[in-house]
Each structure stands twice: as structure tokens, then as C-alpha cells.
Amino acid sequence: QVQLVESGGGLVEAGGSLTLSCAAVGAAGSSERLGWYRQVPGKGRELVASIAKSGETNYAVSAEGRFFISGSSKRNVISLEMNSLKLEDTGVYYCSGRWDRDYWGQGTQVTVSP
């Protein structure tokens, strides 16, 4: 059973930076893909950024140029550096990884204040 352990959420002022980290515990091998999703009340989870086993990265349009995902799906650890944060970046951020199926972390709250 894979457990995704997240850290790094919190409260930050608009324009500031925050880094989220995620580590997979109990994984038998490399993940096919690791990523971060954001969810706000009343909406489903949306992809923020992901990194594949090949190293290929993918970003939401809203994240491009401001957010940077790093780490390795081979080592099952990733970080998300978030810069120039905006009010609309507020939400619960979930780490997700794909092995035999998709696994999810418990989520970490990111709140951007004016």
C-alpha cells in the first residue's frame, strides 16, 4: 500500500512563494507519474503540475512560468515551488502518484492572502 506524505502548505501573502513536498512511502517501484492537484470548494480536483517517469513535465496554464515541479518519479519524491502566488491559487493541494492505480495524499491547505 502506497502512502503519499505531503508537507509545506500554509498561509502566504499574494506575491509570495511556497514550496510543497511529497514523498511516497511503501512504493514497490517507480511511479509512472507524480503530480500535484488543487481543489477548491464546489469544484473537482484540477491538475497543477506533474512529472512523468521519463522526466517530462506538464503544467496547468495558470501555473506555467510561476510554478516549478522537481524531483523524480523514479525516486518517488517531488516538490512544487510556487512563486508569485495569487489569490486564486488558494486551495487544497493533493499529491498524486500512479503505480498499479492512482494514489492520493491527504491534501495540504494553501491560502494566499491579499
Side-chain angles (χ1 to χ4, degrees), residues 30-34 51-53 71-77:
S30 301
S31 170
E32 290 300 314
R33 180 179 298 275
L34 287 167
I51 182 167
K53 192 174 183 178
S72 170
S73 63
K74 292 183 179 180
R75 294 188 293 115
N76 296 327
V77 291

Side-chain angles (χ1 to χ4, degrees), residues 22-52:
C22 175
V25 178
S30 301
S31 170
E32 290 300 314
R33 180 179 298 275
L34 287 167
W36 288 96
Y37 289 72
R38 177 176 61 232
Q39 187 170 26
V40 298
K43 293 189 176 181
R45 295 177 187 179
E46 59 177 11
L47 175 70
V48 176
S50 66
I51 182 167

Side-chain angles (χ1 to χ4, degrees), residues 11-109:
L11 174 65
V12 63
E13 291 185 351
S17 299
L18 207 59
T19 298
L20 306 181
S21 298
C22 175
V25 178
S30 301
S31 170
E32 290 300 314
R33 180 179 298 275
L34 287 167
W36 288 96
Y37 289 72
R38 177 176 61 232
Q39 187 170 26
V40 298
K43 293 189 176 181
R45 295 177 187 179
E46 59 177 11
L47 175 70
V48 176
S50 66
I51 182 167
K53 192 174 183 178
S54 64
E56 179 182 359
T57 57
N58 186 34
Y59 292 92
V61 172
S62 62
E64 286 180 351
R66 298 188 300 126
F67 294 6
F68 300 96
I69 191 168
S70 63
S72 170
S73 63
K74 292 183 179 180
R75 294 188 293 115
N76 296 327
V77 291
I78 55 170
S79 293
L80 182 68
E81 178 184 340
M82 304 185 292
N83 302 305
S84 301
L85 283 161
K86 304 176 181 180
L87 298 180
E88 53 263 40
D89 294 321
T90 293
V92 179
Y93 284 69
Y94 293 91
C95 178
S96 178
R98 177 170 296 174
W99 285 266
D100 56 319
R101 63 175 177 84
D102 289 335
Y103 291 85
W104 295 88
Q106 291 187 327
T108 184
Q109 176 71 43

